[in-house]
Amino acid sequence: YHCPMPKIFYVQLTVGNNEFFGEGKTRQAARHNAAMKALQALQNEPIPEKSHQNGESGKEMDDDKDANKSEISLVFEIALKRNMPVSFEVIKESGPPHMKSFVTRVSVGEFSAEGEGNSKKLSKKRAATTVLQELKKLPPLPVVEKPKLFFKKRPKTIVKAGPEYGQGMNPISRLAQIQQAKKEKEPDYVLLSERGMPRRREFVMQVKVGNEVATGTGPNKKIAKKNAAEAMLLQLGYKASTSLQDQLEKTGENKGWSGPKAGFPEPPNNTPKGILHLSPDVYQEMEASRHKVISGTTLGYLSPKDMNQPSSSFFSISPTSNSSATIARELLMNGTSPTAEAIGLKGSSPTPPCSPVQPSKQLEYLARIQGFQ
């Protein structure tokens, strides 16, 4: 019988400048044998200094980066670092149209080189490659450490949430800022209810801060929220956001005419709704214009004392007034006209006695009387 000889595998292992040979019955065993020999030999060798190793690795990394870049890009980069001007120029074109040859010259500061190729791009690349070899011979630039940017930490703005803090501010913003200063949860607003007629709605808003609860009402959600915040501030022991005098001034400003400032005085609270009180100047102008249109009708301006008394009609009508004007005023103020009814009973009324007047007609009449459009 022929006895086959077992195969032996040989492996060569290179570590740095050292070579090690390993053998084994399998390829894996041979590799292990070579590795064991390398470990035994290298264990006793001193570890090289890190700075040298880092420098080498840094150079290798730079070489790897440069390998991915084109020669033209590298020329521009080096020139930029050394503040050197770069210029590429095609100095020669030769050959027939289908086989042209181009010669490109590159100048980088003091250095210049030429490259030839069958296209402008190729000749430019070859010129850059030639000049790059010369540029790499230059001594390396000194490394300048960049100063570390120091960012000054801004001090946190501490809001002193005293009882007088934020007077004159919007109560909603003021309450939110106070809660932030206290590092507590922001106020929580909830709409509780809506009530009233469609054109005269009233909204009730509730605000919750911790365990404290306060409510506020208003003709819209915004004002209701504002009033709720104001109530909560007073409940927490803070002073009112706006003084009483400022509030009165504001209401006076808001109720004034937004166009030419005629200076309407604020109507007293106890007078019926829908009555405008006119200043003496405006009244006199109105009276003069009305005398041109309507003859025989006289109006008496009410004194402030008369204004304060709740009265069904604003204008005091003289006995010599026109009956139609009287009927219109009564309908405007009350919706019904006793004068019209009285005339109707006599049978001399040109209009139906108890016909209700439309609001649009009332508004037209009121605008015409006061000289508005």
Side-chain angles (χ1 to χ4, degrees):
Y1 295 100
H2 176 69
C3 192
M5 287 293 289
K7 275 187 179 181
I8 295 173
F9 291 87
Y10 294 94
V11 172
Q12 180 185 351
L13 171 65
T14 309
V15 182
N17 299 324
N18 303 320
E19 288 185 353
F20 303 95
F21 297 92
E23 57 184 55
K25 290 180 181 179
T26 62
R27 190 178 280 107
Q28 187 74 1
R31 289 173 71 185
H32 281 211
N33 184 249
M36 283 297 293
K37 286 179 181 176
L39 277 171
Q40 285 171 3
L42 297 172
Q43 265 176 355
N44 301 324
E45 284 192 15
I47 297 166
E49 289 181 9
K50 283 186 179 179
S51 59
H52 180 65
Q53 195 176 2
N54 286 348
E56 279 187 356
S57 64
K59 279 182 185 176
E60 283 172 13
M61 280 176 74
D62 287 346
D63 290 343
D64 290 342
K65 280 183 183 178
D66 291 352
N68 298 326
K69 292 177 184 176
S70 72
E71 290 80 358
I72 299 163
S73 300
L74 290 168
V75 166
F76 276 106
E77 275 187 20
I78 292 167
L80 187 69
K81 285 176 185 174
R82 295 177 180 272
N83 293 325
M84 295 160 80
V86 181
S87 68
F88 286 90
E89 187 186 357
V90 178
I91 55 169
K92 190 180 175 184
E93 283 185 36
S94 59
H98 66 284
M99 282 181 67
K100 278 207 168 190
S101 177
F102 298 90
V103 178
T104 304
R105 180 186 287 160
V106 59
S107 302
V108 183
E110 300 168 1
F111 305 96
S112 65
E114 290 179 5
E116 192 176 350
N118 58 359
S119 70
K120 288 180 183 179
K121 188 177 179 181
L122 185 62
S123 65
K124 187 177 178 181
K125 187 179 177 182
R126 284 174 179 170
T129 308
T130 311
V131 85
L132 196 62
Q133 290 171 357
E134 292 180 27
L135 289 172
K136 283 185 175 177
K137 292 174 186 175
L138 290 169
L141 289 167
V143 179
V144 179
E145 286 188 7
K146 289 181 181 178
K148 287 183 180 179
L149 295 170
F150 178 71
F151 294 102
K152 192 177 180 182
K153 285 185 179 180
R154 288 178 67 187
K156 288 182 180 179
T157 51
I158 300 162
V159 179
K160 292 180 180 178
E164 292 180 5
Y165 168 72
Q167 277 192 304
M169 278 174 66
N170 187 331
I172 301 164
S173 308
R174 185 184 175 196
L175 185 61
Q177 284 188 18
I178 287 166
Q179 288 302 105
Q180 284 171 3
K182 289 180 178 178
K183 294 184 180 177
E184 292 178 10
K185 196 179 175 184
E186 288 197 359
D188 185 28
Y189 295 92
V190 181
L191 182 68
L192 291 182
S193 66
E194 292 181 35
R195 57 195 182 205
M197 300 291 286
R199 288 184 178 274
R200 291 184 183 178
R201 305 293 285 169
E202 190 179 40
F203 297 86
V204 181
M205 193 75 76
Q206 179 184 287
V207 60
K208 191 174 181 184
V209 175
N211 299 325
E212 299 285 337
V213 178
T215 54
T217 57
N220 55 44
K221 290 178 186 175
K222 188 180 178 182
I223 293 171
K225 187 178 177 181
K226 191 177 176 182
N227 291 339
E230 185 66 42
M232 176 54 75
L233 286 165
L234 294 170
Q235 198 170 312
L236 293 171
Y238 292 92
K239 290 191 177 180
S241 296
T242 51
S243 62
L244 217 90
Q245 192 177 354
D246 292 347
Q247 283 179 352
L248 288 171
E249 282 176 11
K250 276 189 180 179
T251 50
E253 282 172 15
N254 292 343
K255 290 189 181 180
W257 175 247
S258 61
K261 295 198 176 177
F264 292 114
E266 190 182 341
N269 296 330
N270 55 359
T271 55
K273 286 183 180 180
I275 294 174
L276 291 172
H277 296 286
L278 307 177
S279 67
D281 301 337
V282 176
Y283 171 72
Q284 283 169 11
E285 287 175 19
M286 234 176 65
E287 190 68 15
S289 64
R290 280 195 70 256
H291 271 303
K292 290 174 187 176
V293 182
I294 304 164
S295 59
T297 307
T298 57
L299 295 172
Y301 178 71
L302 291 182
S303 65
K305 288 180 183 175
D306 297 331
M307 279 184 191
N308 293 334
Q309 293 170 3
S311 57
S312 62
S313 67
F314 165 63
F315 302 100
S316 60
I317 302 152
S318 68
T320 59
S321 63
N322 200 351
S323 62
S324 61
T326 312
I327 292 163
R329 278 190 202 86
E330 287 177 352
L331 288 170
L332 175 64
M333 300 307 171
N334 304 325
T336 58
S337 174
T339 315
E341 286 172 19
I343 296 167
L345 289 170
K346 292 174 187 177
S348 63
S349 173
T351 55
C354 292
S355 60
V357 179
Q358 291 179 1
S360 61
K361 298 287 182 189
Q362 293 182 26
L363 185 63
E364 273 179 30
Y365 170 76
L366 188 62
R368 192 174 72 249
I369 291 296
Q370 299 195 10
F372 297 149
Q373 285 190 346

